Amino acid sequence: MSTNSFLARIFRPFTTGTARFGPAEAGQRPEIPDTAQKCTVAAGCFWGVEHLYRKNFDGKGLLDARVGYIGGDTSNPSYRAVCTGRTGHAEALQMFFDPEQLSYRTLIEFLYRMHDPTTANRQGPDVGSQYRSGIFYHNDEQKAEAEKITRQVQQQWFSKGQVTTEVLPAGQWWDAEDYHQKYLDINPGGYECPSHFIRSFPPLKDDEAQSPKDSVMGGEQ
């Protein structure tokens, strides 16, 4: 880890005075068509989560992505408050996508490829309930799909560990402060959680297609 990245991690909760701001549009949503759908996930430090999703899906059906806070007990939380772990919020990413170009299943499978869901309330060196793994569904179809995929990745990709990802209804969403949006695009030397990288797992098999041996052996983390 470079010196700059190390210092960025140490002082990460209180960097509002030193982070570079992007253009005004970085804090604004583009116009979203009525046919778009939402996908909301949590996987640790939201800077890296947003960065990886944008890098892989911009121009491929991802219409917008915003980092923010979900799952907590207080209204309009600040970053400083969330970092204490006392508000109950998770750092999260909320995406709008075109279901004609990009499926919800693809976005959820990607979640399990880009972080470690077996470390409860932790990603790499980032520890606290705000860094928990979660899927926040917006309808019954998303709930069923998220639960199915979670079951499959437990059996096939993470059989040597316990997947701790929560699958919960999406409650109140709060956008994070503007300087967090597209943070690693604007601050390319900023902190990136070392647990955020794309894992080379084999394609998931449908539950019905798995043999008993598949369920026992699964995949490796």
Side-chain angles (χ1 to χ4, degrees):
M1 180 184 296
S2 69
T3 300
N4 288 340
S5 294
F6 176 77
L7 292 175
R9 177 168 67 85
I10 294 298
F11 294 106
R12 179 174 176 265
F14 310 110
T15 53
T16 53
T18 57
R20 289 180 2 194
F21 286 73
E25 59 266 23
Q28 301 174 355
R29 282 198 187 277
E31 185 173 347
I32 303 297
D34 293 338
T35 54
Q37 296 182 13
K38 276 193 265 190
C39 175
T40 304
V41 298
C45 173
F46 51 21
W47 294 344
V49 180
E50 179 191 30
H51 186 66
L52 282 176
Y53 270 99
R54 285 189 178 278
K55 182 177 180 180
N56 284 271
F57 297 111
D58 269 352
K60 301 176 183 177
L62 181 63
L63 304 175
D64 189 38
R66 298 280 294 181
V67 297
Y69 316 115
I70 196 169
D73 304 318
T74 61
S75 297
N76 198 25
S78 68
Y79 183 57
R80 183 184 290 262
V82 171
C83 282
T84 68
R86 294 194 292 267
T87 71
H89 293 88
E91 292 193 16
L93 179 71
Q94 187 166 94
M95 296 168 277
F96 285 83
F97 65 98
D98 179 356
E100 295 296 320
Q101 301 181 62
L102 180 61
S103 71
Y104 182 73
R105 180 178 183 88
T106 296
L107 292 171
I108 298 303
E109 285 191 16
F110 185 79
L111 173 73
Y112 284 115
R113 289 183 180 274
M114 60 74 57
H115 86 300
D116 181 358
T118 68
T119 54
N121 297 323
R122 177 173 187 162
Q123 282 298 302
D126 302 326
V127 180
S129 61
Q130 68 271 30
Y131 301 120
R132 64 189 182 270
S133 176
I135 301 168
F136 301 89
Y137 58 83
H138 294 273
N139 54 49
D140 289 341
E141 290 76 18
Q142 287 191 356
K143 177 178 185 288
E145 190 75 82
E147 289 176 342
K148 178 180 180 180
I149 295 169
T150 300
R151 182 172 63 250
Q152 290 174 334
V153 300
Q154 175 68 81
Q155 295 173 343
Q156 301 176 45
W157 290 353
F158 295 99
S159 62
K160 293 185 178 180
Q162 179 63 46
V163 171
T164 65
T165 305
E166 301 175 329
V167 179
L168 298 170
Q172 178 66 53
W173 171 266
W174 304 97
D175 272 358
E177 295 84 345
D178 282 350
Y179 83 93
H180 288 297
Q181 310 301 331
K182 300 182 181 178
Y183 184 87
L184 288 174
D185 289 339
I186 300 166
N187 299 275
Y191 170 68
E192 294 185 66
C193 177
S195 289
H196 289 164
F197 62 90
I198 310 305
R199 291 146 176 85
S200 298
F201 291 131
L204 289 172
K205 300 177 183 178
D206 287 339
D207 292 342
E208 295 78 7
Q210 290 185 67
S211 67
K213 182 178 179 181
D214 291 328
S215 297
V216 172
M217 295 298 291
E220 295 186 1
Q221 183 177 352

